[in-house]
Amino acid sequence: MTTAQTLRPAQRERSNKAGYLFVAGYTVLLIAFGVLPTTYALALAFTNDQWQFTGFGQFIVAVTDYRFLQSMANMGAFLVIWLTATVVFAVGLALVLRNFVRGRASVFWRFIFYLPGALAGVASTLVWMFMLSPQASPIAPLLHAIGWTDFGQVVQPQNLPGIFAVMAFWVGVGGWIIIMYGAVNNISDDVMEAARLDGASSWQLAWYVQIPMIRQWVVYMLILAFAGGTQLYVEPQLLFVASKQVDPTWSPNQLAVQFAFGATSNPNVAAALSVVLLVVGLMFAVVLVKRSGMFNVEAED
Amino acid sequence: MTVTRNPVRATESTGTTPQVRQATPTRGRRPRANGWARPVLVWLILLAFGFFFVLPIVWLILAPTKTSTELANSFPFAVGSLGEVGQAWQHLVAFQNGIILRWFGNSALYSFGGLALALVTSIPAGYGLSRIRFRGRKLLLTITLIVMIMPAATLVIPMFLELNAVKLIGTPLALILPFAYFPFGVYLTYVYFSTSLQSSMLEAARIDGASEFQIFFRIAVPLARPVIAMVTFFSFVGNWQNFFLPSLVMPSDDQQPIQVGLSQLMSSSPAFNPGGTANLGIDAPELTLAILLSVIPVLVLFLFAQRSLVSGMFSGGTKG
């Protein structure tokens, strides 16, 4: 696009004006709910309730809180289980669908896998609480068999990362299967045919051709899913509401809410923790941009 | 491993001429090496996952047709009676003088309000960013990309403090305005117009003396129906399912959307806390009915969007 360079000044002026009008509404919202909260969080994180500069003081308070490491460890355990399952099964099922299932059947299965996404949030969490409740669950005999006879036994701390991973996987993996399927589908037929003619079996084809060729998308999925996973809030919060045995500050986001609105309300520490989580998320975003090159602003110019 | 890798890699990089090779059918291992075993295995895998994804939904649909005793004791996928659904509904409406209707009304107000503003702001913005060169365009694009991949939940607390500072807490605007802010929609629209709108068409219209707004409304918007549908879908679903923000910015019960209402119903029921709560008329059938009703709008949208969701927007290529 070289039109911008060749425009006459009058045209350029008109172009500027029109452009601003088109983006005006969005820009106002972007400033109000993107830029300002970020700036506000940063300002709070480096000051105290008198707006005096405190350096990294609030960060130290947040990070040395006795609940901080535990909540980060909880989130870490959840992320490891959930990301592993998501990568393995999103890629695996996409490959199975692409390589062995044709036409309408493939569309049908992708829709089935995607369907639980409609229940994302509170609904899916409650549904899985029922699935795991020894009283109401359709798989109650199975739960009894492993020694879980009441809900309190199910939500023991050591089970929680796995439970949240199942909930998140059930809701979210379908969307990734669709994206991975699209990525595999875009591999050129020539490449596939050539590999087949060279005698590659389906497994070899998947492992040496298809997976390497969608590696970018896998990295993209891993990083976006990681950023999403760090936001874990609804699931542990509802489990805490249901069964007071569950730690009210299980995830870092819950801890931030406790800092902000809990007994010793301290918005500055809450903001510091938000900034920590934001930096973690942004670090992965940077990796995302660098590794996958998917968000290339300049591509079009 | 490397032994098998090399031949495959070699053909991949040197490029091939399939037409020529197809002329001499190969004796490769592909034809029915394991005749029936593979389809059976594939179907077993698909069925296992199919059950995992669908059975909880089937259970949810059937649960309100049964009493809580039946739920605990009868076959989990047995069908109860519609009468029980009516009973459960009456119990739900009796709960706090029909507050559940309020919750649904609130959800509709916040979700549609946010959606309308999101469309009005993000479609023109995506168009402007992709089709008009103006000063500050790259800066705006870059910021959009950054905020889009920022974990939204971490900004919820600062956003609460900000809304509190301007005295919006407890008003519908405390949700509608944050919902209207939808950088992902701007990005989708931007990509759509950048890739599927021919600039020659716009240039022709400009030369004919059309104003930028005539071009937008007469040419761009009619062509943008697929992306408008996508933005509508993602914006509405995100708004409807949001729990974190409303749970903080709405101080009173009768301002909450249904998502927060569900968590109140859950804590008012003995379903997960036997004997722990007073009898408020809410048990498993009532709770499951409320869950079901809360997902119906999104489920309907899913069914409508099915085609484009599964085949259109992500699949890229034209192959099926």
Side-chain angles (χ1 to χ4, degrees):
Chain A
M1 294 290 290
T2 49
T3 42
Q5 278 77 38
T6 56
L7 288 177
R8 280 177 287 114
Q11 273 177 316
R12 182 147 185 90
E13 208 38 55
R14 168 185 132 157
S15 176
N16 266 336
K17 242 193 207 159
Y20 294 144
L21 278 170
F22 277 114
V23 300
Y26 165 66
T27 307
V28 170
L29 291 169
L30 176 66
I31 290 169
F33 299 107
V35 177
L36 261 183
T38 314
T39 320
Y40 198 31
L42 284 171
L44 284 171
F46 288 100
T47 55
N48 61 17
D49 56 357
Q50 311 291 318
W51 289 106
Q52 290 158 325
F53 182 71
T54 52
F56 285 95
Q58 308 291 8
F59 290 90
I60 291 168
V61 175
V63 169
T64 55
D65 185 278
Y66 68 100
R67 297 162 294 189
F68 176 79
L69 280 181
Q70 182 62 54
S71 75
M72 290 304 250
N74 290 340
M75 188 179 78
F78 158 76
L79 282 173
V80 167
I81 302 173
W82 175 58
L83 290 180
T84 310
T86 298
V87 169
V88 169
F89 291 112
V91 174
L93 287 172
L95 287 172
V96 166
L97 286 175
R98 175 64 183 87
N99 295 345
F100 304 122
V101 184
R102 288 280 139 225
R104 295 180 71 87
S106 160
V107 173
F108 167 80
W109 284 111
R110 274 176 281 155
F111 183 65
I112 289 291
F113 296 158
Y114 189 61
L115 199 56
L119 280 74
V122 177
S124 65
T125 309
L126 291 178
V127 165
W128 274 93
M129 283 164 66
F130 276 115
M131 293 300 113
L132 294 168
S133 151
Q135 271 71 46
S137 173
I139 52 161
L142 203 70
L143 299 177
H144 287 280
I146 46 177
W148 293 348
T149 51
D150 74 77
F151 195 64
Q153 282 169 309
V154 178
V155 295
Q156 290 299 305
Q158 70 271 20
N159 301 336
L160 292 180
I163 290 176
F164 297 140
V166 169
M167 290 175 174
F169 178 80
W170 187 72
V171 161
V173 80
W176 289 116
I177 291 174
I178 290 175
I179 292 173
M180 290 303 133
Y181 182 93
V184 180
N185 208 26
N186 273 344
I187 299 175
S188 116
D189 280 338
D190 291 357
V191 172
M192 300 288 291
E193 200 52 38
R196 275 208 200 95
L197 291 169
D198 280 351
S201 72
S202 297
W203 286 111
Q204 289 170 326
L205 207 62
W207 190 254
Y208 296 114
V209 180
Q210 290 175 311
I211 293 180
M213 289 189 83
I214 62 166
R215 206 181 48 221
Q216 259 195 352
W217 284 96
V218 176
V219 171
Y220 168 75
M221 166 171 73
L222 205 57
I223 293 162
L224 268 199
F226 181 96
T230 59
Q231 306 189 35
L232 192 66
Y233 179 82
V234 182
E235 295 88 346
Q237 183 63 21
L238 285 179
L239 238 56
F240 159 71
V241 172
S243 167
K244 299 297 176 211
Q245 299 173 39
V246 174
D247 185 355
T249 56
W250 196 88
S251 79
N253 254 330
Q254 286 177 291
L255 181 58
V257 171
Q258 276 297 312
F259 283 145
F261 306 106
T264 53
S265 168
N266 191 336
N268 298 90
V269 180
L273 184 51
S274 290
V275 170
V276 169
L277 293 172
L278 205 59
V279 167
V280 172
L282 272 184
M283 266 162 41
F284 277 82
V286 168
V287 176
L288 162 77
V289 171
K290 287 246 188 296
R291 286 294 296 267
S292 66
M294 310 209 66
F295 296 101
N296 202 342
V297 182
E298 307 304 324
E300 196 226 338
D301 278 323
Chain B
M1 285 240 172
T2 40
V3 181
T4 49
R5 178 184 199 124
N6 288 333
V8 174
R9 273 300 167 104
T11 46
E12 182 193 322
S13 52
T14 52
T16 52
T17 49
Q19 303 88 335
V20 177
R21 294 209 181 190
Q22 268 163 7
T24 55
T26 165
R27 293 173 187 276
R29 293 200 268 127
R30 186 160 70 116
R32 53 189 77 83
N34 33 12
W36 53 270
R38 178 177 292 159
V40 170
L41 185 66
V42 165
W43 278 91
L44 280 180
I45 293 173
L46 291 178
L47 280 178
F49 277 95
F51 281 130
F52 170 73
F53 286 112
V54 166
L55 281 189
I57 299 177
V58 174
W59 179 88
L60 176 70
I61 292 170
L62 293 175
T65 68
K66 291 174 268 192
T67 64
S68 37
T69 336
E70 282 173 336
L71 267 177
N73 300 317
S74 69
F75 176 65
F77 298 101
V79 182
S81 73
L82 278 178
E84 286 304 326
V85 182
Q87 285 278 322
W89 171 247
Q90 280 173 7
H91 294 155
L92 270 181
V93 175
F95 181 75
Q96 294 187 17
N97 301 319
I99 195 170
I100 187 165
L101 302 173
R102 228 13 235 276
W103 289 335
F104 274 108
N106 291 340
S107 273
L109 171 67
Y110 305 147
S111 304
F112 283 111
L115 168 64
L117 279 180
L119 283 176
V120 168
T121 53
S122 64
I123 303 291
Y127 171 81
L129 285 170
S130 88
R131 282 298 152 199
I132 301 172
R133 311 288 125 168
F134 56 92
R135 236 172 283 127
R137 171 179 164 273
K138 273 189 188 151
L139 176 70
L140 195 58
L141 258 180
T142 309
I143 297 178
T144 300
L145 294 183
I146 292 172
V147 294
M148 211 178 74
I149 38 190
M150 253 167 30
T154 55
L155 284 186
V156 163
I157 291 172
M159 211 182 277
F160 170 88
L161 298 169
E162 188 189 326
L163 290 166
N164 194 35
V166 291
K167 305 263 183 300
L168 281 179
I169 296 297
T171 69
L173 285 180
L175 286 173
I176 291 176
L177 290 178
F179 285 170
Y181 162 62
F182 196 45
F184 180 60
V186 176
Y187 179 72
L188 277 181
T189 318
Y190 164 74
V191 170
Y192 183 84
F193 281 127
S194 300
T195 54
S196 65
L197 195 61
Q198 288 177 357
S199 38
S200 58
M201 205 195 300
L202 302 186
E203 281 309 314
R206 280 195 189 113
I207 290 165
D208 285 348
S211 77
E212 292 296 335
F213 294 95
Q214 286 169 327
I215 295 172
F216 175 68
F217 284 110
R218 303 244 173 96
I219 300 177
V221 170
L223 285 173
R225 276 170 58 183
V227 77
I228 293 174
M230 251 153 63
V231 173
T232 303
F233 178 84
F234 286 113
S235 163
F236 182 84
V237 171
N239 297 350
W240 186 270
Q241 293 176 336
N242 200 322
F243 170 84
F244 195 9
L245 188 62
S247 74
L248 296 183
V249 300
M250 290 300 165
S252 93
D253 282 355
D254 59 2
Q255 292 170 321
Q256 297 293 359
I258 185 64
Q259 304 299 334
V260 181
L262 284 179
S263 85
Q264 287 199 19
L265 285 175
M266 185 263 284
S267 60
S268 310
S269 94
F272 301 102
N273 195 6
T277 42
N279 184 9
L280 298 167
I282 301 297
D283 206 338
E286 289 79 16
L287 188 49
T288 48
L289 179 62
I291 299 170
L292 200 56
L293 293 173
S294 80
V295 301
I296 281 176
V298 177
L299 220 44
V300 168
L301 213 53
F302 265 51
L303 291 171
F304 269 115
Q306 181 195 347
R307 263 183 75 93
S308 49
L309 278 178
V310 176
S311 45
M313 71 184 176
F314 296 122
S315 304
T318 49
K319 292 172 291 174

